Amino acid sequence: MRDYKVKNVAVLSRAFEVLRVLQEMRAASLHDLHLATGIPKSSLLRILATAHQAGLVWQRMVDGAFVPSFTLQPRVEVDNADWLVEIASPVMEQLTKRVLWPSVLSVPRLDHVETLESNSSKAYFHELPANPRGFRVNMLRSASGRAYLAYCPPQELQAVLRRLRARKGPGHAIASDPNAIRQLVESTRQRGYATRTSDFGGDYELARHDSDDGRSSIAVPIRLEGHVLGCMNLTWRRDVAPLQEIVRLYLYDLRHAVAVVEKQIRDSRPDLVASWTP
């Protein structure tokens, strides 16, 4: 750039410094940014609020971290799902205003599903503690894991099952039972949503009588061109409402939220659509 002999705009310089640091850190709390930049927290909040309004920064609900928008980043591999969280997070916030109970966004990994976002902090019934970002959830027993397995491509399903069969423990037993897997897929697709297994109490391996978080959950997959990018669930205290009542009252809202996320993915990630279109 030419040397125009003009003064720098100090406010812009500070804002650009915050964005630069945030891109390097990928996600940061307000205190992290204060330590990294030396900028007072009150000034940081004004910068972040302005950047958020411009679509340059967003804030996760699950841990309150500030994250640079994926629109500022080079296109990333699908396994880096921060862009998915950015799209889904405001939709989940609106969802909990309607259904009151919390939801969780998770993505499939090699042999488990991983929690990436939760609107528990925004839910009216917020006494259910949110699992932290990165929490590993059993794929064969949880609602989100079973939603993924029921709707992922057949070759992908078989690859996952091979990995799960290699693992020991009661949490993976049905991976070796073709009839149980067939029933899982068929019943989930027939209903249009997945549920927990009856013996699942939230612990990866232990049965519900040994470890019980008191929850029930239903989950719906987020799909694009036949692939499952992630799953969104709805979770509640099962001593408050039976499964069918929650389904009757809130399944439409959960499906609508997922449909909104899928549309926004199509609009904002044409690269993914193109890569998976025959």
Side-chain angles (χ1 to χ4, degrees):
M1 183 175 177
R2 296 177 183 176
D3 185 1
Y4 288 103
K5 305 299 183 183
V6 295
K7 292 182 179 180
N8 291 335
V9 180
V11 173
L12 280 178
S13 295
R14 297 176 90 187
F16 291 150
E17 173 67 6
V18 172
L19 291 176
R20 182 190 66 78
V21 169
L22 193 56
Q23 283 186 302
E24 290 178 353
M25 300 178 74
R26 296 188 61 183
S29 67
L30 184 67
H31 188 63
D32 292 334
L33 290 172
H34 168 65
L35 292 178
T37 64
I39 298 173
K41 292 182 180 180
S42 57
S43 299
L44 281 171
L45 283 174
R46 289 195 295 271
I47 291 170
L48 291 166
T50 303
H52 177 266
Q53 291 173 359
L56 303 178
V57 169
W58 61 286
Q59 187 177 25
R60 288 194 304 237
M61 289 182 289
V62 69
D63 57 7
F66 294 96
V67 186
S69 170
F70 76 89
T71 58
L72 295 180
Q73 307 284 351
R75 286 307 186 190
V76 294
E77 296 298 324
V78 69
D79 281 349
N80 182 346
D82 284 345
W83 62 269
L84 176 59
V85 184
E86 181 180 355
I87 291 171
S89 188
V91 180
M92 294 173 66
E93 185 170 358
Q94 290 301 312
L95 173 63
T96 195
K97 291 179 180 178
R98 295 193 298 273
V99 306
L100 305 180
W101 290 104
S103 295
V104 172
L105 173 71
S106 58
V107 294
R109 298 308 188 196
L110 289 175
D111 58 5
H112 63 281
V113 290
E114 179 183 351
T115 294
L116 292 188
E117 178 66 302
S118 169
N119 59 18
S120 179
S121 63
K122 305 289 185 178
Y124 179 80
F125 299 113
H126 56 76
E127 72 273 16
L128 292 175
N131 289 325
R133 179 178 167 87
F135 186 79
R136 292 163 57 98
V137 182
N138 191 293
M139 189 172 282
L140 286 162
R141 305 167 73 203
S142 67
S144 293
R146 292 165 73 84
Y148 161 68
L149 293 173
Y151 285 94
C152 70
Q155 289 183 329
E156 189 172 333
L157 172 62
Q158 293 307 315
V160 172
L161 292 175
R162 282 195 295 271
R163 289 190 289 269
L164 292 173
R165 284 195 292 268
R167 298 195 57 170
K168 305 300 181 183
H172 305 98
I174 71 167
S176 301
D177 186 342
N179 290 329
I181 296 300
R182 188 181 308 111
Q183 183 178 6
L184 183 164
V185 172
E186 291 177 354
S187 61
T188 301
R189 290 192 171 196
Q190 184 177 12
R191 289 191 306 263
Y193 63 91
T195 63
R196 288 180 165 194
T197 58
S198 60
D199 68 337
F200 184 59
D203 184 86
Y204 197 94
E205 289 286 359
L206 296 177
R208 197 166 81 182
H209 58 75
D210 293 318
S211 178
D212 187 5
D213 60 11
R215 303 185 191 188
S216 286
S217 301
I218 58 175
V220 176
I222 300 169
R223 292 181 286 172
L224 180 68
E225 303 300 327
H227 294 262
V228 178
L229 300 178
C231 296
M232 190 182 300
N233 83 354
L234 179 64
T235 185
W236 69 96
R237 283 176 44 194
R238 66 174 182 273
D239 62 348
V240 172
L243 170 65
Q244 290 308 314
E245 180 178 355
I246 295 294
V247 169
R248 178 179 62 83
L249 292 174
Y250 301 131
L251 178 59
Y252 172 84
D253 295 289
L254 179 60
R255 284 175 170 166
H256 176 73
V258 167
V260 171
V261 171
E262 290 174 340
K263 181 180 185 304
Q264 292 186 13
I265 293 171
R266 289 182 175 277
D267 292 343
S268 62
R269 293 299 306 264
D271 56 318
L272 283 183
V273 176
S275 68
W276 282 334
T277 300

